[in-house]
Amino acid sequence: MQQPDPKEIMILNRIVVFSVIVLFIIIAAIYLLFVSGKTGQYSDFEDYIFGTYVRIRISSKVNPSTISKAIFNEMKRLEKKFDPYIESSIIYKLNHSEDWVEVDDETLSVIDLALKIARDTEGAFDPALGRLIQLWGFSKFTEREATGTFTVPSASEIAEAASKSGYQKIAIDYVNKKIKTNGAWIDLGGILKGYALKRAYQIAKEFDKSCHGFVETGGQIMILGPKYNKTHWVIGVRDPRGQPGENITIVYLSEGSIATSGDYERFFIVDNVRYHHILDPRTGYPANKAISATVIAGDPVIADAFSTAAFVLGEDRWLFTRTVFPKYGAEVLLVTPKKQLLRTDNFRIYEMSDR
Ligand code: AMP
Ligand code: MG
C-alpha cells in the first residue's frame, strides 16, 4: 500500500478547516439576519437625523438591528439629497439654477406631490418658501439657537422674499423630466419627514411583512404594526403650552401615522413675541391662528404636509379644514391660540380605546 503524501494531507486538512470556517460564517450570518429577532419582544434604536431624534421600536423575526440600520441609512440618504443648503443636493441645484434642471424620478414625484398638496390646501402648505425660511433664520436654527442670534426681518425684506416665493412658480416638464423654480426656493421641510417615514415603513415590510412597532421622527409617528401584534399603541398628543409629557389628549392607533405641527418646536422670542418656523405664505410671517395641529392619516406624507397646512389655516379657516381635509384621508385636531380644541368628525374615533 502506498503511504499518503504528507503534503496532500496538509492541503486536505486546510480545505476542511477553511470549509468549516466558511460554513460557520454563513450560519452565523443567517442567524443574525433572520432568526435572532424574536417576535413579541421590542428592540429600541435611536439616531439623530433631520435635526431631530429618530426612534425605532420594532419586533421582528429578522434581526431588528439590521432593519433599523437600513432605515437610518435611507433617512440619511434623503436628508442629504433634499437638504436645500448642501451644495451637492438636488434642491440646492434647483434653487440656484435659472434654467430647467433634469431630475431623477424620486425627486420629480416628491416635488409633484408637494405641489399637489399645495393646490389641495389652497396654498396653506407651500413647498416653495425657502427664501422666507432662510430670511427668518430657521434654516440654521440649531446654530442660531446656540449663539442666540435671532432677529426679526424687516417688513420690506419679508415682502421682497415673499414676492419671489410660492409654489405657483415651480414648473414641471414631465416629458423631459425637468423642473424649473423661476426664482423661488424649494424647501421640503414640511413633508420630508413624512416621506422618510413612508420609506421606513416600506423598508421594514420588505425585510419582514409581519414586523410590528413604530418609527418616530420628532413630532411624527408611523406605526409598523399593532403592539404585540394585537393591541393599539397609546399615543399622547402634547399640550402645546405644557411640559413634554403633558398631553391634551390620548389617541389609540394600530396603523397609519400621526403628525403634530406646533409653534413650540422651533421658535425664538423677541420683545415678548414668539416667532416660530411655520410660515403663513399669505403674509410671510409665522402663522398665528393656531398653536398646534395634529393629523392622523394612513399615509405619513399626508399626515406631515396636512398638519403643517392645518396649522397655517388655523381657526379662521377651520371650516375649510374640517370640510376638505378628511377627503384626503386626514383627520385633524386643532388647538386654537385660546387653547380651544377643534376636531374633524372622525378624529374622536381615534380617542376611543375600546374601538
Ligand atoms: P412641520 O414641522 O412638519 O410643520 O414643518 C415645518 C417646516 O416646514 C419648517 O421648518 C419649514 O422648513 C417648512 N415650512 C414652514 N412653513 C411652511 C408652509 N406654510 N408650508 C410648507 N412648509 C413650510
Ligand atoms: Mg408637517
Side-chain angles (χ1 to χ4, degrees), residues 123-127 129 133 138 187-191 193 260-262 265-266 277-281 304-305 307-309 312:
F125 175 85
D126 191 330
L129 301 181
I133 291 161
F138 291 111
D187 180 302
L188 298 175
I191 196 174
K193 282 189 264 171
T260 298
S261 294
E265 287 175 62
R266 291 178 167 208
H277 68 141
I278 304 170
L279 304 178
D280 184 341
D304 191 6
S307 69
T308 309
V312 171

Side-chain angles (χ1 to χ4, degrees), residues 103-115 172 179 195:
V103 296
D104 61 286
D105 292 8
E106 183 185 46
T107 304
L108 191 99
S109 75
V110 172
I111 293 177
D112 173 70
L113 181 56
L115 295 179
I172 300 188
I179 293 178
Y195 179 66

Side-chain angles (χ1 to χ4, degrees), residues 77-301:
R77 178 187 74 83
L78 294 171
E79 184 183 37
K80 262 204 227 137
K81 179 172 177 177
F82 293 117
D83 184 327
Y85 305 100
I86 299 181
E87 288 189 17
S88 57
S89 86
I90 183 65
I91 303 298
Y92 185 95
K93 199 171 169 196
L94 282 162
N95 289 350
H96 293 86
S97 171
E98 282 170 14
D99 210 342
W100 289 95
V101 174
E102 204 173 323
V103 296
D104 61 286
D105 292 8
E106 183 185 46
T107 304
L108 191 99
S109 75
V110 172
I111 293 177
D112 173 70
L113 181 56
L115 295 179
K116 179 187 183 308
I117 297 174
R119 292 188 295 269
D120 293 343
T121 61
E122 297 193 341
F125 175 85
D126 191 330
L129 301 181
R131 285 182 185 276
L132 282 162
I133 291 161
Q134 199 204 31
L135 179 65
W136 279 96
F138 291 111
S139 51
K140 291 212 162 80
F141 187 75
T142 340
E143 242 170 71
R144 298 237 175 154
E145 201 178 33
T147 51
T149 49
F150 282 108
T151 47
V152 180
S154 71
S156 62
E157 284 174 314
I158 291 170
E160 156 94 16
S163 72
K164 291 184 185 162
S165 302
Y167 70 97
Q168 295 99 331
K169 293 200 162 51
I170 313 295
I172 300 188
D173 176 344
Y174 294 91
V175 176
N176 300 302
K177 267 210 280 186
K178 287 179 176 176
I179 293 178
K180 194 165 183 247
T181 53
N182 294 301
W185 283 5
I186 295 176
D187 180 302
L188 298 175
I191 196 174
L192 195 56
K193 282 189 264 171
Y195 179 66
L197 286 174
K198 189 169 193 150
R199 291 290 304 129
Y201 181 87
Q202 288 163 349
I203 288 169
K205 294 293 159 172
E206 275 163 21
F207 274 102
D208 171 13
K209 74 174 189 315
S210 58
C211 72
H212 46 97
F214 60 83
V215 185
E216 187 181 357
T217 61
Q220 186 169 4
I221 290 173
M222 176 76 212
I223 309 284
L224 298 173
K227 191 174 184 179
Y228 301 121
N229 235 347
K230 51 175 185 281
T231 150
H232 302 300
W233 289 100
V234 181
I235 299 163
V237 178
R238 183 171 157 180
D239 177 342
R241 291 292 176 267
Q243 296 303 313
E246 285 181 320
N247 299 319
I248 38 162
T249 189
I250 304 281
V251 300
Y252 301 87
L253 287 187
S254 50
E255 59 182 6
S257 185
I258 177 165
T260 298
S261 294
D263 67 359
Y264 53 84
E265 287 175 62
R266 291 178 167 208
F267 68 93
F268 61 91
I269 292 174
V270 171
D271 295 338
N272 285 326
V273 181
R274 177 193 289 253
Y275 298 95
H276 63 84
H277 68 141
I278 304 170
L279 304 178
D280 184 341
R282 290 189 181 183
T283 62
Y285 283 79
N288 59 5
K289 302 295 184 221
I291 56 176
S292 94
T294 297
V295 168
I296 295 174
D299 182 340
V301 179

